[in-house]
Amino acid sequence: MISDRMAAVLALLDGDPDRDANLPQAVAVQAAAALGTDGICAGLGIAPSGVVLVWGREAVGVELEEVQFTLGQGPGLDAAAAGVPVLVPDLLEAGARWPAFTPAAAELKVRAIFAFPLRIGAISVGALMAHRSTVGPLADGQFADALALADAITLLLLNHASPEPAAAALEWNQPRLGWAQPPTYRAEVHQATGMISAQLGVSLAEALVRLRAYAYAEDRLIAEVAADVVARRLRFEDPSR
């Protein structure tokens, strides 16, 4: 049974998001409050490409997703890949599971994360991730609220991601508040991955690992390193050659 607060959130999500340009982000704020968390975000995609945020892009959530994408690890990625909730009431206690992600999240003052897969039947298409600066599990009833929210967000995102072709062409560079701009920089990461694969003579999967490792070692976002590779300011060399 969902709570009255979450029922109000779901009623808003069931409306037309175009009727109010501020609605998606405003609903995300209300959803986070209903779950007793500081922020919430959702995105489409699974590992190894990562989740692309398309709803609830508050500042810390964006940073967390960038960290997950750069490092290739984190609760949201695990939830999307496995198709099951990943509940972390104390991130520091679970640090060994994500040895690189945990200290980065701690720097953002995040102590608890609750990630839920976005699913269509048995297929996982992304993840919903809520975070909090204090430790502790979700309160009674909030788990059911989160599952209901994940189902609603799945339908909302898929409907939003599949506009009529003509509308899609017109709106490609017209972002709305609360929704993500088209993730063109992720395409640049894929392009850089292909270039590194050719430079080193390795698989695309290994090339992506090399790109992530370099970004982590240099304390940079993977998107920044990818831009350097694509612009040919950076080349990956095989030391055995």
Side-chain angles (χ1 to χ4, degrees):
M1 178 106 180
I2 64 173
S3 67
D4 290 342
R5 293 183 72 180
M6 186 55 70
V9 170
L10 299 183
L12 289 173
L13 289 174
D14 193 43
D16 179 5
D18 289 329
R19 71 187 181 192
D20 182 346
N22 294 300
L23 180 58
Q25 186 63 27
V27 176
V29 172
Q30 294 181 44
L35 295 179
T37 57
D38 299 330
I40 197 167
C41 58
L44 299 175
I46 57 174
S49 298
V51 173
V52 178
L53 291 187
V54 289
W55 185 78
R57 290 172 56 86
E58 51 83 33
V60 176
V62 171
E63 291 282 353
L64 284 174
E65 185 48 47
E66 286 297 335
V67 169
Q68 286 194 130
F69 182 60
T70 296
L71 301 177
Q73 61 177 244
L77 289 181
D78 283 4
V84 297
V86 177
L87 309 179
V88 193
D90 189 339
L91 188 59
L92 296 184
E93 285 191 357
R97 182 171 180 180
W98 307 288
F101 172 83
T102 297
E107 288 185 5
L108 297 172
K109 303 188 184 308
V110 172
R111 289 298 307 274
I113 294 179
F114 310 100
F116 296 83
L118 304 180
R119 299 170 59 90
I120 302 176
I123 302 173
S124 180
V125 297
L128 173 78
M129 188 167 66
H131 62 85
R132 195 170 57 206
S133 61
T134 57
V135 300
L138 293 173
D140 292 344
Q142 289 176 337
F143 182 79
D145 279 357
L147 291 177
L149 178 63
D151 287 343
I153 291 297
T154 301
L155 293 177
L156 183 69
L157 294 186
L158 292 181
N159 287 337
H160 183 81
S162 303
E164 292 297 323
L170 289 173
E171 295 183 2
W172 181 248
N173 289 313
Q174 303 297 321
R176 281 178 273 176
L177 292 177
W179 300 99
Q181 286 182 304
T184 52
Y185 75 94
R186 294 288 173 95
E188 196 167 45
V189 168
H190 297 316
Q191 183 180 355
T193 298
M195 294 174 66
I196 295 169
S197 173
Q199 291 168 9
L200 298 179
V202 298
S203 68
L204 291 174
E206 183 175 344
L208 181 57
V209 170
R210 299 282 190 97
L211 181 60
R212 281 178 167 146
Y214 184 92
Y216 177 68
E218 296 294 322
D219 194 23
R220 300 176 62 193
L221 293 177
I222 192 172
E224 297 173 350
V225 178
D228 283 348
V229 173
V230 172
R232 292 178 170 78
R233 292 187 295 266
L234 174 64
R235 179 180 176 83
F236 281 65
E237 302 286 354
D238 186 345
S240 66
R241 291 182 179 177

